[in-house]
Amino acid sequence: MAALHSTAFCLGGVALSSRQEICFRRGNVKASTFSCPPLVSIPRLSFQSKAFGGDGSPETKDSSLVVCFGEMLIDFVPTISGLSLSDAPAFKKAPGGAPANVAVGIARLGGSSAFIGKVGEDEFGYMLAEILKENNVNNEGMRFDPGARTALAFVTLRSDGEREFMFYRNPSADMLLQEAELDLDLIRKAKIFHYGSISLITEPCKSAHIAAAKVAKDAGVVLSYDPNLRLPLWPSAESAREGILSIWDTADIIKISEEEISFLTKGEDPYDDAVVQKLFHPNLKLLLVTEGPEGCRYYTKEFRGRVKGLKVDAVDTTGAGDAFVAGILSQLAKDLSLLQNEDRLREALKFANACGALTVKERGAIPALPTREAVNSAIIQLVG
């Protein structure tokens, strides 16, 4: 990580103090360059689940609500792809943050969702709360910090639509959510509780995350985990791996990318099923591996396979994985028995792939998330 110390600068009318911490992330993570301890040495949390019956079949829960926990921030996306941050002539302001993206994605698909997290008591924070409300996301679990700003991320778009990030959080409000600020009743009402790993990096948010997940598990809520690796936000590669794996065995559903598999397995082949199986813990119900435009792979105790993706011209890949997660969770929230039927699961994943594909056709994450009608139309056109 790097930090600037003296001046301030303006972009698009927004003044940013250069004393804010800046973190830079490149799109492709090569795990082989990191020296980390073996998987077996990582201490892991263990919660007892009530979400599934003794035979592994999902128990019914009246609610179809998906509660998403974690960060929400402002992405500044360049108006022209293929340029460095310093060369970009202008940036489009777009709401983002993986858990918030998933919450909006589910609501836009016609599902029920809520967001729990913290933003600054500033114009950006209030703007983000209003965006959730406008998109029919329950924002009652949002908190506002008077002493910290809403996080910002500047995004460099390469010519192929892939991204590099520069984060401003020193600390940002999302890092300061406390356990006492959690809306526990909202968590208990959920069918699925979804989260990432960024909320595990620092206290007090780490303790709030762990407490929220335990409350959800105790209430019979299905736990969904997308690590969403952002390496420069962690103190080191080793701490990132330890943090991500520390809650691995508590999740019922995990979505992971090819790059994240390589990172967690110290550079092993992410396309090798034997490598992926190392990440399949005994209580896991569904492991999903996203492969960008190629689609996804799925693994359960009973079956495994691959579902092809939709090929589109990528403008900005920001939020594509979150749209995919929204696509699959929106359907699982309505019917967890999809996990027991491979044909129906494959149809649900085809839908999720289409959600991801449509999202990369526009700049920004939340602005690009598709409606159910748009997704169904794209699938029909593909078949045609």
Side-chain angles (χ1 to χ4, degrees):
M1 298 184 184
L4 305 179
H5 300 282
S6 56
T7 60
F9 61 98
C10 293
L11 266 172
V14 180
L16 300 172
S17 168
S18 60
R19 287 190 293 269
Q20 296 252 31
E21 184 177 7
I22 303 176
C23 304
F24 193 78
R25 170 193 180 262
R26 294 201 175 273
N28 293 321
V29 178
K30 295 192 181 298
S32 58
T33 62
F34 306 128
S35 177
C36 302
L39 295 176
V40 293
S41 70
I42 306 302
R44 301 185 182 186
L45 296 176
S46 179
F47 304 145
Q48 266 198 329
S49 172
K50 299 177 185 176
F52 293 83
D55 61 353
S57 61
E59 295 179 357
T60 59
K61 192 175 177 74
D62 292 338
S63 169
S64 62
L65 175 67
V66 179
V67 173
C68 300
F69 174 93
E71 70 278 3
M72 189 173 191
L73 48 85
I74 303 291
D75 288 329
F76 285 92
V77 185
T79 55
I80 298 177
S81 300
L83 298 177
S84 67
L85 288 178
S86 60
D87 291 333
F91 293 83
K92 174 185 176 182
K93 179 182 64 181
N101 293 343
V102 173
V104 173
I106 289 169
R108 203 164 284 173
L109 292 170
S112 174
S113 65
F115 175 76
I116 292 178
K118 201 171 194 180
V119 294
E121 196 174 273
D122 51 38
E123 287 195 30
F124 281 148
Y126 290 122
M127 182 194 84
L128 292 175
E130 186 61 26
I131 286 171
L132 291 180
K133 184 177 178 181
E134 291 172 355
N135 282 278
N136 299 313
V137 176
N138 182 330
N139 65 4
E140 294 174 4
M142 287 190 77
R143 301 294 180 259
F144 298 83
D145 195 306
R149 296 298 187 189
T150 301
L152 308 178
F154 284 81
V155 187
T156 300
L157 294 180
R158 300 200 312 243
S159 56
D160 61 359
E162 284 297 330
R163 307 150 295 157
E164 296 171 346
F165 293 89
M166 187 168 71
F167 295 94
Y168 285 70
R169 50 201 314 264
N170 188 37
S172 53
D174 60 287
M175 303 162 67
L176 302 177
L177 180 68
Q178 300 182 48
E179 182 177 345
E181 296 176 302
L182 294 172
D183 188 333
L184 301 182
D185 289 337
L186 181 60
I187 294 171
R188 293 187 182 105
K189 291 176 184 176
K191 181 77 159 284
I192 298 173
F193 183 68
H194 176 73
Y195 47 86
S197 68
I198 290 176
S199 47
L200 295 170
I201 297 174
T202 57
E203 295 288 2
C205 190
K206 177 180 178 180
S207 292
H209 177 137
I210 292 171
K214 187 178 188 306
V215 167
K217 201 77 166 180
D218 289 347
V221 180
V222 174
L223 299 190
S224 166
Y225 184 25
D226 177 2
N228 196 36
L229 177 66
R230 295 289 182 265
L231 195 56
L233 297 182
W234 293 85
S236 66
E238 179 179 347
S239 65
R241 177 181 287 161
E242 289 181 355
I244 288 171
L245 291 174
S246 69
I247 61 169
W248 196 263
D249 292 352
T250 67
D252 300 299
I253 299 166
I254 295 175
K255 173 261 174 187
I256 194 169
S257 70
E258 307 151 276
E259 294 87 357
E260 288 162 343
I261 292 174
S262 293
F263 175 73
L264 293 175
T265 60
K266 296 191 294 185
E268 293 191 53
D269 183 3
Y271 300 100
D272 184 343
D273 279 350
V275 172
V276 178
Q277 285 297 130
K278 294 179 182 180
L279 297 173
F280 197 101
H281 67 76
N283 297 317
L284 191 60
K285 308 304 176 185
L286 177 63
L287 176 63
L288 297 169
V289 179
T290 53
E291 300 179 344
E294 301 305 317
C296 68
R297 282 175 281 158
Y298 58 90
Y299 300 81
T300 74
K301 290 180 180 178
E302 289 78 28
F303 44 76
R304 66 181 68 170
R306 174 182 269 105
V307 178
K308 291 182 179 180
L310 278 68
K311 299 295 178 64
V312 297
D313 293 328
V315 174
D316 177 9
T317 60
T318 306
D322 303 326
F324 172 89
V325 172
I328 189 62
L329 292 188
S330 67
Q331 296 170 94
L332 288 172
K334 295 177 181 177
D335 187 2
L336 282 172
S337 69
L338 287 173
L339 297 173
Q340 311 298 317
N341 185 308
E342 185 171 11
D343 289 339
R344 294 174 62 214
L345 178 62
R346 289 182 62 86
E347 285 300 311
L349 290 172
K350 182 193 296 183
F351 181 90
N353 282 341
C355 291
L358 292 180
T359 301
V360 307
K361 296 175 68 176
E362 297 182 35
R363 284 184 169 83
I366 286 177
L369 294 168
T371 63
R372 179 169 292 274
E373 291 74 20
V375 176
N376 287 333
S377 176
I379 293 174
I380 291 172
Q381 290 177 10
L382 177 69
V383 173

